[in-house]
Amino acid sequence: MTLEFEHGTLTLKAGGRVLFNHHETRPCCFVGIGTAIVKTRKGHADLRDDLDEKIALRAARLQRRNGRECIDFSMSADGPVVLSVEIVPVETGVHLRIQSHDARINRLWWRVPAEADEYVWGCGEQFSYFNLRGRHFPLWTSEPGVGRDKSTHITWQAEIAGGGGGDYYKTYYPQPTFVSSHRYALHAQTTAYADFDFRRAEYHELHFWGVPEQLEFTLADDFATLVERLSTRFGRQPRLPEWLHQGAVLGLKNGRRHADHVLALALEHGVQVSALWCEDWAGVRKTSFGTRLFWDWRWNEERYPDHARWVQALRGAGIRFMGYANPYLCEDGQLFREARELGYLVRDRSGAAQLVDFGEFMCASVDFTNPAAARWFSERILVREMLDQGHDGWMADFGEYLPVDAQLASGADPMLAHNAFPSQWAEVNAHAVASAGKTGEVVFFMRSGYTGVQAHCPMLWAGDQSVDFSRHDGLQTVICAALSAGLVGNAYHHSDIGGYTSLFGNTRTPEVFQRWAEMAAFTPMMRTHEGNRPEQNFQFYQDVDVLRHLARMTRLHVALSPYVRELVEEAAQRGLPLQRPLFLHYADDRSTYDIQDQYLYGESLLVAPVHTVDVRSWHPYLPAGAQWVHLWSGEVFAGGMRVEVRAELGEPPVFVLQGSRWQDYLLSLPASIDR
């Protein structure tokens, strides 16, 4: 690391990279005072800044304090110090510790040197764009919206129906961390609202509604090592349980009789089943949005009679049971009354339980900033009602709805607590699993996240995509989501096969389900979902040909398990994601840097899912520096170009790395699954 001051320019370099550059005419930081104006409705937020002032800190003085280099920033050479930055070398890079000397300051803009040909990825889980260059990304956990594309009719309809159309940058899981093609990562230690702007050629501007504790630069000579170091920083997921590799998780929401019928039908047609995921285990309610769940997390005996014996029988047949929970309790449920009497609910400004409208029913969140409330939810609900009664996993839904006008037990500012809440929710779930001694055996999966969720959540799920092939809300968006989240320490990712959200006449087709299942076979968890309107959407058990297609894909998923086990071990040891961007192993081929609709599944497989309606050929890009064998035909292709291959239903575009020690085994899969 070197810190240079020449011709009025202060420059910080590390590993040959310029991480900081300041001149009085080109200041690197600005401070300000503003008031947040936030309007929320059903998880969607409209955030505006009533900014009083924005001030450039043009004067920078280099100091040495406590044996470390420090930079004091002022508005002018003779002005008082406004901001101090301590430069802390660490083994993997450099940390910049920031201290404000003016209590009024609650806005910070920081400029990071950039180059015109630089690529940037990350910022948590992003659905629309993998390469973030050319756009800005507000970082606030929220509902992403329906359609997420203002030019489409479905997004327009969702907007006028209640502001739920969304935008390209909206995500359940933001994180103030980006990875640069210059082989460094920058992480901001803060939970404040932020906006990372990558639109300028000369610098990236990071805007915070607060002053971060520090900016952490992590460096490496190659991308895989960089991802490994970020995984070490944020925490690693436990190894996936063996049972999850043994087939698909069938998602159902219509009671035990329906579950038994669909399971029997699936097994009859050869579907490999690892678990039943019955999200309606606690009951349902009907709303205009569709069939919703009854948010009182106790077994519903009417829908699932004699559940203990039934779950035990499933386990005897090698099939696990999975359920559903979220941090909310419905006002008309028993657990709401218990939590309210104990004082464990998030409060409004009057001190009463803060009720949130979830669309025709009201709920309140448990206040996880209260350690006693967190323990109560973990022990009373997740352990006693779920783990002790046969759950082997669950969807840990929501986490992104914490109101900004709430009163929290910890006294925390809800504007700062909002982004932190998903990680606290993950920790509550992880504590329950660990207290039962079932870490690595029980799997819960989450859609919401923020910094630190990696250390607690064993698997991400992509949330509520539309039941279609749409560019910003359909099948291909979950690939982008897996790649971006994987770079910042999330090894495991999956999605609802066939999507979830069906609104305004948009319904799932057999082809959407089949193409989604083809991709899901090459993810760590295959899971179906009946969606928000099961009766109006195609279900796999309604068509024999689709059942047979799903059976074939589940056989492929199971046959891949020896290979996947090795990837799981690598994730545990190094933190590398199972689904990887092409450049992670082919950094010399810059054509891979902007590809977001295909991925490496480990080093030996390249998967390029079909995500367009009614096509039977596909044109994937194969990275330079290797040769690739088409899984279904055995044809060998040179890398460094796009190729054309057949892509019939049941034969998704997949390639094996020629020369891989897994080559023979992987190329034997087509014959083995068709026996």
Side-chain angles (χ1 to χ4, degrees):
M1 187 194 78
T2 60
L3 190 61
E4 302 170 356
F5 191 74
E6 294 182 359
H7 309 296
T9 298
L10 185 61
T11 303
L12 173 67
K13 294 181 180 178
R17 305 159 182 85
V18 177
L19 306 181
F20 169 90
N21 201 312
H22 175 88
H23 187 275
E24 63 179 9
T25 63
R26 300 181 305 279
C28 77
C29 62
F30 300 74
V31 294
I33 301 170
T35 302
I37 301 174
V38 183
K39 296 180 180 180
T40 60
R41 185 172 187 269
K42 297 180 182 178
H44 301 276
D46 176 22
L47 295 95
R48 292 187 298 112
D49 195 5
D50 184 5
L51 189 64
D52 293 329
E53 56 183 332
K54 179 180 179 180
I55 305 165
L57 300 183
R58 298 188 179 278
R61 294 189 289 274
L62 190 59
Q63 308 285 346
R64 189 166 183 84
R65 287 193 289 268
N66 301 321
R68 290 201 176 107
E69 301 291 345
C70 299
I71 306 170
D72 290 337
F73 289 98
S74 308
M75 287 182 280
S76 61
D78 56 354
V81 176
V82 177
L83 205 71
S84 294
V85 175
E86 182 182 21
I87 301 171
V88 184
V90 296
E91 185 178 356
T92 58
V94 182
H95 292 176
L96 305 182
R97 293 179 182 167
I98 304 173
Q99 180 182 4
S100 170
H101 298 285
D102 186 337
R104 298 173 302 164
I105 291 172
N106 60 7
R107 300 291 183 267
L108 175 71
W109 293 259
W110 189 273
R111 293 179 176 177
V112 182
E115 295 183 8
D117 64 348
E118 183 180 5
Y119 290 79
V120 174
W121 312 278
C123 282
E125 183 185 39
Q126 295 294 332
F127 294 92
S128 285
Y129 299 103
F130 182 43
N131 174 24
L132 309 179
R133 278 299 247 160
R135 296 174 179 85
H136 76 109
F137 292 83
L139 303 177
W140 182 259
T141 178
S142 68
E143 286 272 10
V146 178
R148 304 178 73 251
D149 180 357
K150 300 299 189 189
S151 68
T152 63
H153 188 58
I154 192 170
T155 301
W156 175 77
Q157 288 175 295
E159 282 292 303
I160 63 173
D167 289 283
Y168 73 85
Y169 54 80
K170 289 194 173 181
T171 174
Y172 306 104
Y173 175 9
Q175 184 171 314
T177 311
F178 71 81
V179 175
S180 166
S181 58
H182 293 323
R183 293 167 177 75
Y184 78 85
L186 185 151
H187 170 69
Q189 187 57 31
T190 183
T191 58
Y193 169 85
D195 190 331
F196 281 18
D197 191 341
F198 303 106
R199 289 176 289 188
R200 296 171 179 83
E202 300 83 13
Y203 59 84
H204 313 310
E205 185 165 77
L206 316 181
H207 178 198
F208 304 96
W209 288 9
V211 178
E213 295 176 32
Q214 62 184 17
L215 302 178
E216 304 174 8
F217 289 91
T218 301
L219 286 67
D221 293 332
D222 60 86
F223 289 118
T225 301
L226 184 57
V227 172
E228 180 178 4
R229 289 175 175 174
L230 290 177
S231 176
T232 301
R233 163 65 178 84
F234 299 126
R236 290 188 186 149
Q237 299 79 48
R239 292 171 180 81
L240 296 178
E242 181 62 30
W243 61 263
L244 199 61
H245 305 314
Q246 300 310 306
V249 176
L250 301 185
L252 305 164
K253 58 191 303 184
N254 197 24
R256 176 177 169 179
R257 182 177 298 180
H258 176 67
D260 283 337
H261 170 70
V262 173
L263 175 60
L265 193 62
L267 295 176
E268 177 187 344
H269 287 83
V271 177
Q272 305 293 295
V273 180
S274 63
L276 295 185
W277 172 54
C278 298
E279 56 176 327
D280 66 326
W281 71 283
V284 299
R285 69 172 85 227
K286 296 291 185 179
T287 72
S288 60
F289 180 77
T291 302
R292 302 290 298 275
L293 306 179
F294 190 71
W295 294 3
D296 188 49
W297 313 120
R298 301 177 301 127
W299 276 97
N300 184 292
E301 291 292 342
E302 182 179 341
R303 295 182 76 80
Y304 291 93
D306 197 15
H307 69 268
R309 186 177 302 176
W310 180 61
V311 169
Q312 191 60 35
L314 288 174
R315 184 178 283 256
I319 297 171
R320 303 297 180 114
F321 180 85
M322 304 182 78
Y324 174 100
N326 68 47
Y328 284 90
L329 303 174
C330 58
E331 187 181 23
D332 50 350
Q334 174 183 315
L335 292 170
F336 175 93
R337 293 189 293 273
E338 289 184 29
R340 182 175 59 186
E341 290 172 6
L342 291 166
Y344 288 165
L345 298 175
V346 172
R347 294 169 296 139
D348 62 21
R349 288 172 177 167
S350 74
Q354 185 162 41
L355 296 177
V356 179
D357 181 1
F358 276 90
E360 300 163 42
F361 63 100
M362 306 296 286
C363 298
S365 173
V366 175
D367 186 350
F368 297 138
T369 72
N370 179 350
R375 285 194 302 272
W376 175 84
F377 194 103
S378 178
E379 296 165 5
R380 172 69 179 88
I381 297 174
L382 299 178
V383 174
R384 193 192 312 175
E385 298 289 348
M386 299 178 72
L387 286 170
D388 287 351
Q389 299 192 51
H391 284 66
D392 291 297
W394 54 86
M395 173 186 282
D397 204 0
F398 290 96
E400 60 281 336
Y401 275 51
L402 184 70
V404 299
D405 59 350
Q407 287 194 64
L408 300 173
S410 66
D413 180 350
M415 279 295 294
L416 297 176
H418 178 87
N419 276 341
F421 195 81
S423 297
Q424 293 172 331
W425 170 225
E427 188 172 6
V428 167
N429 286 269
H431 174 78
V433 175
S435 70
K438 294 187 176 182
T439 301
E441 179 184 346
V442 164
V443 173
F444 64 89
F445 49 97
M446 296 179 58
R447 71 182 192 180
S448 64
Y450 196 74
T451 305
V453 75
Q454 302 92 324
H456 306 296
C457 175
M459 180 176 292
L460 293 180
W461 133 74
D464 300 342
Q465 282 72 46
S466 291
V467 289
D468 56 29
F469 292 121
S470 58
R471 166 66 183 83
H472 290 278
D473 202 22
L475 169 57
Q476 65 174 302
T477 64
V478 303
I479 304 171
C480 184
L483 297 180
S484 56
L487 285 179
V488 295
N490 299 277
Y492 309 122
H493 193 279
H494 79 294
S495 59
D496 299 337
I497 297 176
Y500 170 82
T501 304
S502 175
L503 292 173
F504 315 114
N506 184 34
T507 56
R508 179 194 294 153
T509 66
E511 185 182 19
V512 166
F513 182 89
Q514 289 172 293
R515 290 305 193 188
W516 215 304
E518 291 173 358
M519 181 204 67
F522 296 89
T523 66
M525 181 177 182
M526 284 189 81
R527 181 179 53 80
T528 68
H529 199 311
E530 292 183 322
N532 66 310
R533 296 186 173 183
E535 300 84 1
Q536 299 175 23
N537 279 268
F538 173 80
Q539 307 297 342
F540 70 86
Y541 45 80
Q542 296 171 341
D543 184 280
V544 171
D545 288 338
V546 175
L547 261 170
R548 290 171 178 162
H549 176 275
L550 178 61
R552 190 165 188 264
M553 291 301 100
T554 61
R555 290 197 297 273
L556 178 58
H557 183 71
V558 173
L560 279 166
S561 60
Y563 177 67
V564 173
R565 286 189 201 101
E566 183 171 281
L567 301 185
V568 167
E569 184 62 29
E570 190 173 28
Q573 296 297 326
R574 299 192 60 195
L576 297 186
L578 275 64
Q579 294 170 265
R580 305 171 185 176
L582 305 189
F583 67 75
L584 197 73
H585 298 299
Y586 296 93
D588 291 338
D589 184 354
R590 291 181 68 88
S591 296
T592 65
Y593 285 21
D594 216 9
I595 294 177
Q596 65 180 55
D597 63 347
Q598 55 187 77
Y599 56 94
L600 296 172
Y601 198 44
E603 285 194 64
S604 298
L605 282 172
L606 186 150
V607 184
V610 173
H611 52 75
T612 302
V613 64
D614 196 24
V615 299
R616 294 298 181 267
S617 65
W618 205 241
H619 298 82
Y621 181 84
L622 304 180
Q627 290 190 310
W628 301 89
V629 187
H630 185 228
L631 179 64
W632 308 104
S633 69
E635 185 176 357
V636 179
F637 294 90
M641 66 182 74
R642 289 196 174 272
V643 300
E644 181 176 4
V645 293
R646 295 293 296 168
E648 301 290 344
L649 286 169
E651 296 188 353
V654 176
F655 299 82
V656 178
L657 175 65
Q658 189 173 59
S660 163
R661 63 186 183 83
W662 283 96
Q663 177 178 331
D664 291 344
Y665 179 80
L666 294 172
L667 291 176
S668 72
L669 294 180
S672 70
I673 65 173
D674 288 332
R675 288 181 187 140

